[in-house]
Amino acid sequence: MGKRVAETERKYEAAEQTGEPDLEGLPGVAAVRVLEPAELDAVYVDTSDLRLATHRITLRRRTGGDDAGWHLKLPSSQADTRTEVHAPLGKQGRKGGPRVPKPLLAEVAAIVRDRDLVPVVRLRNTRKRVHLVDDAGAPLVEIAHDHVRATVLDHGDGAESAWNEVETELLDGDTALLDALEKRLRTAGLRRSKSPSKLARALGDRLTAAPRPPGPPSTTGTAGDTALAYVHEQVAAIIAWDPAVRRDEPDSVHQMRVSTRRLRSAFKSFRRELDRAVTDPIGDELKWLAAVLGLERDREVLAERLRDRLAELPEELVTEALTARIGGDAPVHEGARKELLRELGGGRYFRLLDTLESLLTDPPLLDRASAPAARAVAKAVARDHKRLRRRVEPALAMEPGHERDIVLHDARKAAKRARYSGEAAQAVPALRKPAKKHTKRMKAVQQLLGEHQDSVICRDVMLRLASDAREAGEDTFAYGALYQLERDRAAAAERQLPKDWPKADRGRLAG
C-alpha cells in the first residue's frame, strides 16, 4: 500500500482586501521562512454520483510542487485531521486519463465497488508559502496562500470558478500553535472556510444534492431504532475493515468476519422488528462472506493452536518431519488469501454492500418496530438467552463424546447471538447497565465453548496429519501426544461449563 501520513490542516476564506496577518511573537516560532511559489495542477477523480466526496474522501493526481503524485485523503476522528495516502504519479491511463494506482483503489474499494472512477474536477493553484520555524530552523507550520481556478470536467458545460484561500498545515509541534495562529488570521480578516475541501467548493450545489450515505438513527427510543443503530454500526465496521483486510493487517480478517456475524445475528434477534423477507436473503449472503473470510481466519487460528501444542511437547518428540507437517501451511495461506482478495473484488461482494446500503436507506421495519425500546429489546435479549439455555442444559446431561461436541458447538453459536443482542441493548439507556453485565457473562460462555470447539477442530486436523505421516512411513507417536494435549484442554472446558453456566444464567435479561 501507499505511504500513509496524518495531515492536520485548516482552511480559511480569503477576501480580496484581506490584510497581512501579524506572525511575530507566536509561541515557539523563531522566524518566518519564505518559500518559492509553486504552480499546482490536480485532477480529482470520483464516481459519477460522487461516492467518494459524499464520504468525505478525495482522490487526486497532482503535478507541480514538492509532493507531486497521487493523494488519497480519508476522514479521521481527530479534529482538522485526515489520513493521507501517497502513491507515485505512475502512467496515464488510456486516452490520457489518470490511471489510479491499485493500492489506492484498494483503500476505497468498499466505497467505489465496481463503479468507474472518472475525472470530475481540475484544480490549478498558484501557491505562495511560508514556514514558521523554531530555533533550530525546523518547520512547525506551513501557511499557504492559494489562488485556485477550478474546472468541472464531467458535468454540464465545464463550469469554471476561482477563489482565494489560506491553508495552515501542522508540520511539527501541537495544535496550540495552530490555535494561536488562527487568532492572528481572524484579526487580519480571515474566517474558517465553509467548505471542507477545495473539491467540495468546486462542486458546490452538485455535491450538496448528491445522494448521501445513510446515517444511524438519531435516537434509540423504539425497538426499530435500536435494531437499526446496531445494524448500521456493523455495516460501517465491515466497510471500515475492508481496506485493512486488503492491506493484510493483523486481526483485520477476524474483525471483519465478526462484524458480518454480528449483523447476521441482529437480523435474527430483531426478527419481530425487521422484515425477514428482506433480511433472510441478506443473511445468507453474509454467511457466504463470513465463509470467505474464514478461509484465511480459520487457517490463522488453527496454525497458532498447532504451534502452541507443539511447544508443549517434550523436546525429544519434536522432529523435523513433525515440525514441517505442523507448520507447512504457507501454500495454503497464500491460496486462501488469493481467494479472499478475488472474492472481495467480485460482483457478489459489491452487490451485498449495495444491498446493505439500500437496507439502511429504506429499512424494512415491521409494525412492532415502533414499540418502546426498553421492553421490546429486553424481550429480544431474553429470547436469545432462552435459546442458549435450551442448548447448554441438555449438553450438561450428556456423556463426553462426538454427540456432545455437536451440541456444545450449537451452544457456542447461541452464546454468540446472546452476546450480540446484549451489545445492541446497551444503546437503550434504561438497559445499558444490565445489558453490559449480560454481555460480559455471555462473552465468558462463548469463549469457554469456543475453546472447546477449537480443540475439536484441532484434533480432527491432528488425526489427518497423523494419517499422512503414517503413509509416509514416519513415526506417529508424537501425534498421539499432541492429540491428548488437546483432549485435555477440551475436557477442562467441559468440567468448567457446569461451574460457569449458573453464574451466566441469571440477571434481568436472562428471561
Side-chain angles (χ1 to χ4, degrees), residues 288-305:
W288 161 79
L289 178 57
V292 169
L293 294 164
L295 292 173
E296 175 74 1
R297 173 60 183 170
D298 290 345
R299 184 212 64 82
E300 291 176 354
V301 172
L302 178 60
E304 182 178 358
R305 194 172 186 100

Side-chain angles (χ1 to χ4, degrees), residues 382-394:
R383 285 194 302 271
D384 286 341
H385 184 84
K386 290 176 182 177
R387 180 173 177 269
L388 171 60
R389 184 187 295 143
R390 291 194 299 268
R391 284 154 177 78
V392 170
E393 292 185 347

Side-chain angles (χ1 to χ4, degrees), residues 8-9 23 25-33 35 130-143 168-179 181:
T8 300
E9 64 179 22
L23 302 179
L26 287 167
V29 176
V32 177
R33 180 187 299 155
L35 306 179
V130 299
H131 278 176
L132 306 183
V133 301
D134 62 14
D135 289 332
L140 302 173
V141 170
E142 178 175 290
I143 305 174
T168 63
E169 181 178 352
L170 190 65
L171 303 178
D172 198 2
D174 55 40
T175 56
L177 178 54
L178 288 183
D179 294 339
L181 176 57

Side-chain angles (χ1 to χ4, degrees), residues 272-344:
R272 298 188 181 186
E273 289 77 29
L274 302 174
D275 188 352
R276 291 188 62 180
V278 175
T279 60
D280 279 359
I282 301 175
D284 291 341
E285 289 301 283
L286 289 168
K287 185 177 181 180
W288 161 79
L289 178 57
V292 169
L293 294 164
L295 292 173
E296 175 74 1
R297 173 60 183 170
D298 290 345
R299 184 212 64 82
E300 291 176 354
V301 172
L302 178 60
E304 182 178 358
R305 194 172 186 100
L306 287 169
R307 287 192 295 269
D308 288 346
R309 297 296 82 76
L310 185 64
E312 295 173 10
L313 280 182
E315 187 175 338
E316 61 270 17
L317 294 182
V318 181
T319 65
E320 289 186 7
L322 176 64
T323 303
R325 289 196 184 278
I326 293 295
D329 59 351
V332 177
H333 165 63
E334 293 302 322
R337 176 148 186 84
K338 287 180 180 179
E339 175 67 12
L340 170 61
L341 294 178
R342 186 182 72 81
E343 294 291 359
L344 292 185

Side-chain angles (χ1 to χ4, degrees), residues 28 36 92 115 172 174 207-208 310 335 387 392 441:
E36 290 293 324
Q92 291 285 83
R115 296 165 176 83
D172 198 2
D174 55 40
L207 178 57
T208 304
L310 185 64
R387 180 173 177 269
V392 170
R441 290 193 287 265

